[in-house]
Amino acid sequence: MAQQQQPAQGLNGMDLIIDGWFHERGELWPGQAMSLQVKKVLHHGRSNFQDILVFESTNHGTVLVLDGVIQVTERDEFSYQEMLAHIPLFSHPNPTKVLVIGGGDGGILREIAKHPSVQEIVICEIDKGVIDISKRFLPTLAMGFEDERVTVHIMDGAKFMEEHLDSFDVIITDSSDPIGPASVLFETPFYNAMHKSLRDGGVVCTQGECIWLHLDLIAPLIASISQTYRLVEYAVTTIPTYPSGQIGFIIARKGGGDGSSKIPARKLTVEQEEGMQYYSAEVHEAAFVLPAFAKRAIFGGSGGGKADCAAGSKGKK
């Protein structure tokens, strides 16, 4: 759920429901669409920043849509939430302070709370409307806000990071797609701000778009931020209701020796294993294994250097 500014007033989520089906069409995935059958519209309105639609689907549970784009379905949300959170958290030997940018549905908070070493969880979500709606209609995600370690800031994440330098072990950005004002979250200055807000040895993980659709966005961004971060890697996960059924993550490390994020730095406890639906140590490693076409496009022929994709696999929107 992203750091977005006021959208064009013309978009109305209800217009995307035709003959009982919600149709997701977007300029970032031309020539294709995703449709879900609607059982009942639960909410439609506009926050100060975006159009918000919530409906009960026939087969995917409750669905959250922002500015016409599916953000969450109860059926498959865990594959994104778990991978976006646990890849960076298990890549760090002892994360104690974590920042989330966006993520107003609460799902990432829910996953971070599974790590007992974490003492402080800070979330910056610019749109309070997303938090309120999620607490009302998506309680299994919004339960993340109930953890006593969580502090909520309704503000722009970039500004918050400017005021908190060298502060966090892990920063997770759960953003929407790079259209309009949200595009700044996919640009080098935002990654520079995250780098400054990280402690030495810290790890950043961001929503990294789709290898089937957005290599022209992914490759230059990774090349650019590799000038700042010690190591930049890319992982993927599957999620049926995101465009092309797949989404990637950009994982970047600040200092901290020569370690990679491809291998978990810690083992899951029995309790953590039992609490996962998608993530595991094996899936963590597998997430970094990219198809040949994607590896070549993102990292070049060798796949080596400061930006590297290596043998392993990934995770969300």
Side-chain angles (χ1 to χ4, degrees), residues 69-307:
V69 178
I70 295 169
Q71 305 294 313
V72 168
T73 83
E74 289 183 309
R75 180 172 178 173
D76 61 11
E77 54 85 12
F78 58 85
S79 67
Y80 174 78
Q81 314 286 355
E82 290 185 13
M83 294 294 276
L84 182 59
H86 298 306
I87 286 180
L89 286 166
F90 277 108
S91 297
H92 194 287
N94 185 38
T96 61
K97 192 172 181 180
V98 181
L99 172 64
V100 180
I101 306 294
D105 56 50
I108 297 298
L109 301 179
R110 179 193 67 197
E111 299 304 318
I112 297 171
K114 296 176 181 178
H115 292 257
S117 69
V118 175
Q119 301 171 6
E120 186 174 353
I121 307 169
V122 180
I123 178 171
C124 288
E125 167 61 65
I126 201 168
D127 192 346
K128 185 176 182 293
V130 174
I131 296 176
D132 293 340
I133 290 299
S134 296
K135 287 181 176 180
R136 182 178 173 188
F137 295 107
L138 293 165
T140 59
L141 283 82
M143 62 184 289
F145 289 99
E146 298 172 5
D147 192 281
E148 61 183 9
R149 294 168 289 178
V150 172
T151 302
V152 179
H153 295 272
I154 307 300
M155 64 180 297
D156 181 81
K159 178 174 176 57
F160 180 86
M161 289 188 291
E162 289 177 3
E163 300 168 356
H164 296 82
L165 305 180
D166 302 308
S167 297
F168 298 97
D169 298 306
V170 174
I171 299 176
I172 299 169
T173 299
D174 181 10
S175 67
S176 60
D177 297 307
I179 296 176
S183 64
V184 299
L185 301 182
F186 291 79
E187 295 174 355
T188 303
F190 183 76
Y191 280 82
N192 290 342
M194 288 191 288
H195 187 271
K196 293 176 182 178
S197 194
L198 278 179
R199 294 169 174 168
D200 187 59
V203 183
V204 157
C205 187
T206 68
Q207 187 269 101
E209 291 302 319
C210 176
I211 60 173
W212 295 101
L213 299 167
H214 307 126
L215 288 174
D216 59 333
L217 299 174
I218 298 165
L221 176 58
I222 287 181
S224 176
I225 65 175
S226 294
Q227 307 307 308
T228 301
Y229 289 86
R230 178 181 63 78
L231 180 65
V232 183
E233 297 166 301
Y234 191 85
V236 298
T237 193
T238 61
I239 177 165
T241 54
Y242 282 170
S244 295
Q246 179 275 329
I247 197 163
F249 309 108
I250 297 172
I251 303 101
R253 305 183 70 93
K254 177 180 179 178
D258 58 359
S260 164
S261 294
K262 297 169 191 171
I263 307 297
R266 295 176 289 117
K267 292 185 177 180
L268 283 78
T269 65
V270 172
E271 183 179 6
Q272 286 173 329
E273 287 182 344
E274 293 176 347
M276 303 294 182
Q277 298 185 74
Y278 193 96
Y279 179 88
S280 68
E282 294 83 1
V283 168
H284 181 123
E285 295 184 37
F288 290 88
V289 179
L290 301 182
F293 78 91
K295 182 176 180 179
R296 281 194 297 267
I298 298 173
F299 297 104
S302 66
K306 288 183 68 179

